Amino acid sequence: MDKNTSAKHRRFGDHTPWYAMSADQAMSCLETGKEGLSGNETEKRLHEFGPNVLSAAKPRSALVRFILQFNNVLIYVLLISAVITGILGHWVDTGVIAGVVLINAIIGYIQEGKAENALKAIRKMLSLEAIVIRNGQRMSIPGEDVVPGDIVAFAPGDRIPADIRLIDENGLAVDEAALTGESQPVSKHTGTVPPDTPLADRFNMVYSGTLVTQGTALGVVVATGDATEFGRIGKMIGRVGEVTTPLLRRIAVFGRWLTVGILAVTVFTFLVGTVIQGYGIADMFLMCVALAVSAIPEGLPAVMTITLALGVQRMARLNAIVRKLPAVETLGSVTVICSDKTGTLTRNEMTVQTVVTAGRTFKVTGTGYAPTAEFRLDRHVIEPSACPELEEIIRAAVLCNDAVLQERDGQWTVVGDPTEGALLTLGMKAGLDPDRLRNGRSRLSTIPFESEYRFMATLNTDGEGHKYLFVKGAPETVIERCQSERTGNGGQRPIDRTCWHRRIREIAADGQRTLAVAMKKMPDEATETGFGDIGEGLVMLGVIGIIDPPRDESLLAVNQCHHAGIVVKMITGDHVETARAIGERLNIGIGKPAVTGAELEKMDDTTLRRTVKEADIFARTSPEHKLRLVEALQADGEVTAMTGDGVNDAPALKRADVGLAMGVKGTEAAKEAASIVLADDNFSTIAGAVREGRRIYDNLQKGILFLLPTNGGLSLVVIVAVLLDFALPLTSKQILWINMVTATTLCLALTFERPEANVMDRPPRVPDAPPLTLYMVWRIVFTSCILMLAALLLFDWELKNGGNLRLARTVAAATIVVGQIAYLFNCRFLKASSLTTRVFSGNRSIYVAIGILAILQLIYTYVPWFQEIFDTASPGVRDWILILVMGVASFLVIELDKAGERWLSRRNGRPDF
Ligand code: ATP
């Protein structure tokens, strides 16, 4: 029995399972009631039962994590080399190789820890919130503060924060796949079930970690943290995955093949050296060890991991929280972004501007939620109380409404749906007091708003025993269900649907979101309402037009996406004319057809594929349409990013190549299905994330492009020396020094590179394109040759001009190190010219790395103890001048190569970057 369960039994002293008790019994057993716990009691319980979190799976011990750093084919080769040099009695070489392996393991260990911590911190930003009732007040608290006895409320899309016995329920269905594997949502009720009922059939319980798909409910928490069913089966939610992406996995496979290739070349060189050139076996062996260690890019995995972790951290700072790492790479290939309108492209700050009744059109002034404004009719200011039909529609809109307005320091904010908040403000502008109105006409029943059917209805009394049904929703839906319309004198006449539709189009064309309001007198004995009541006898009261201005930054972000070869499509539940008007202000879908959800439904898959290419605006859509749209786009080879917030958006978010969930208004279900969560719900964050994704991919490529030529250059030096039969220009120790110390130090600086100037001017990267393009392979080979030539030239020059072998080798090593520094500047821009002053700015870590490297290289070259270990000698000023000249020359030659590639790209019409 675990700690929490025993605590429960100790404290509440009952062994009957919660599901076998009535809801009241469960509450009294937990010493709580519908008003919830008091503040003091929750604190006590939090202390007693601990936070509502699952204990982390036992982490691997530090020693095991450290040892695992050696589990790499590249490292095996180095370890074997160390053993063999030891057997041959070359202890210094053995020591240096062992040292390099150790340093590599330490760097890997630290980086891995840092990367994992960074991701853990990011995951924490997504921690769960729960709505609880405490002291009779509804409040939102962090999921980990939930305690046994808390009363929790939940709605569609919520993740259940603990194990809960239901006490009240309204059409609740829960997806329990995470716990039971059952993929169909399970309906719940509040009755009791026998004590031996298996978990999957306990219909009055909901369990931690499962998701609400439908309905609302209230329940009492019976177990938290490890005492929950989820905790018992030892599963972990949101566990930090491996720090990897498809590119990194491909690089790891590439690393393994590279090792095989290196071993083959090494054996070949050994055979040529011993059989053809006649070197002694021991000498030749040492050379081959040098060759093997020179070719292995030991630093590559560490550089790749840190680039990714830093990038993901930066994206979190830009409000894009990455849940699934591969999305970082996919972002760079995105060709279409399908975005919601309300709150993503627009501000979600709603203000009513127009109220249309059967005979008249009223204008309302003011912005935001502050309830100060005037009503105008034909440009004349009027008193709303003088127009009964205006008052009636406003009253209905306030009653059929769940939002609350709050004023703090003169600032008015909405708790709840902003559309409903705007209606409350309208009510207050008309002189109504929403609380008094709601108290006087209490609500008996509700059909909550859902994007699928686009209306909300409430059944209210009028305080004198009469019952009224109020409906508000998308005009098309409401008008269809109305038989009559309210006239100015309080009477009614048959509805003129054509006239209403014309007037709605007029308001919508102005970019206003439209909402129709209707009512119906119900029998006095009615206590419940359902969909059946909405079908007949409704009286149309009028239409309300609400403005929701586009965010200032949206237009810029949309234009950036267009430049980057990404098509932006708007998918909205609003009227097609509203969508078109907003689209026009945001440069979306101008001059193109706009399609409605109803039209989409009639299309077969082939027509849809064609339409989805032509149209950028999809209006009056529901969440299922999103899934069809993603599928149609993907069938055409588009890499699609899709935004979503509701529980029904989850399938489309999962299906999209990059699913983007809203962090503020999104449900847990949407967040869980998405690969990225937008902490600020803002479209411009998507454009920022694409930019960052492209930067990360660039930096990964830059890392490879920088590191591999170092290995290539060094191994070529050894191979050429063996084949042409002259003294080895670098010993294995010296090669290891360059390879590990200098190359990795410099390369880490590249991980901080900012996005290149043209990063958002290029078309999206072709998905599944090999990480090494043909040009990159060429560049690696070409640069390897340049580094090799530079080292050999100065080595030879030094020998011919009176230097000894020690000095010549020191000069050769320095040439390669300086060559690398020069090459670092070449690599700052993948293809763009580095012959610009920008090459010296924008990344201070480059200078830190060069500074550290210069100090290390001077120590290596001049400090006697190091001279002893590494067999180095002290070069003079003349040598250094030659080395520097060689560095500058190699920089210029590589720039020439880049210019050639740019020219070729332009000629062949390939993207120029
Ligand atoms: P987007 O997909 O751009 O975010 P949306 O989420 O605003 O659009 P919905 O919320 O589905 O789309 O709204 C669609 C329509 O439903 C609105 O145009 C409005 O007519 C109506 N509507 C919106 N909110 C409510 C509400 N709270 N009560 C009644 N009707 C509403």
Side-chain angles (χ1 to χ4, degrees), residues 339-344 346 348 350 400-402 417 419-420 423 448-457 471-477 513-516 548 570-575 578 618 620-623 626 645 649 665:
S339 172
D340 286 342
K341 175 182 73 63
T342 312
T344 311
T346 64
N348 215 8
M350 311 263 179
C400 184
N401 193 317
D402 284 327
D417 182 351
T419 307
E420 297 192 345
L423 299 178
F449 174 78
E450 288 284 349
S451 292
E452 277 78 45
Y453 46 80
R454 291 193 205 100
F455 68 80
M456 168 179 177
V471 182
K472 75 175 195 313
E476 294 94 316
T477 321
R513 187 174 161 85
T514 53
L515 202 75
D548 173 22
M570 181 200 285
I571 303 187
T572 173
D574 269 340
H575 194 281
T578 314
F618 299 87
R620 287 288 188 236
T621 52
S622 49
K626 284 188 171 178
D645 48 19
D649 287 338
K665 65 171 187 168

Side-chain angles (χ1 to χ4, degrees), residues 41 94 104 185 192 228 242 335 349 384 394 404 418 525 550 557 676 691 694 707 753 843 851 858:
E41 184 60 24
T94 313
N104 187 60
T192 48
T228 59
E242 255 184 287
T335 54
E349 283 166 17
I394 296 178
V404 179
E525 58 281 6
I676 295 181
R691 185 183 161 89
R694 289 184 175 194
L707 266 190
E753 269 309 316
N843 183 356
L858 289 176

Side-chain angles (χ1 to χ4, degrees), residues 275-357:
V275 180
I276 301 176
Q277 311 283 33
Y279 283 110
I281 290 193
D283 279 350
M284 201 51 225
F285 195 85
L286 277 183
M287 281 200 214
C288 284
V289 167
L291 176 59
V293 297
S294 68
I296 296 174
E298 303 89 347
L300 198 58
V303 168
M304 298 283 112
T305 314
I306 187 119
T307 306
L308 196 66
L310 281 177
V312 169
Q313 243 176 343
R314 223 178 101 96
M315 280 174 87
R317 277 200 297 275
L318 297 172
N319 286 325
I321 302 166
V322 177
R323 291 188 70 248
K324 297 173 190 161
L325 277 179
V328 174
E329 277 171 27
T330 321
L331 272 176
S333 316
V334 164
T335 54
V336 178
I337 299 175
C338 296
S339 172
D340 286 342
K341 175 182 73 63
T342 312
T344 311
L345 288 162
T346 64
R347 289 195 214 152
N348 215 8
E349 283 166 17
M350 311 263 179
T351 314
V352 174
Q353 286 202 324
T354 318
V355 182
V356 177
T357 60

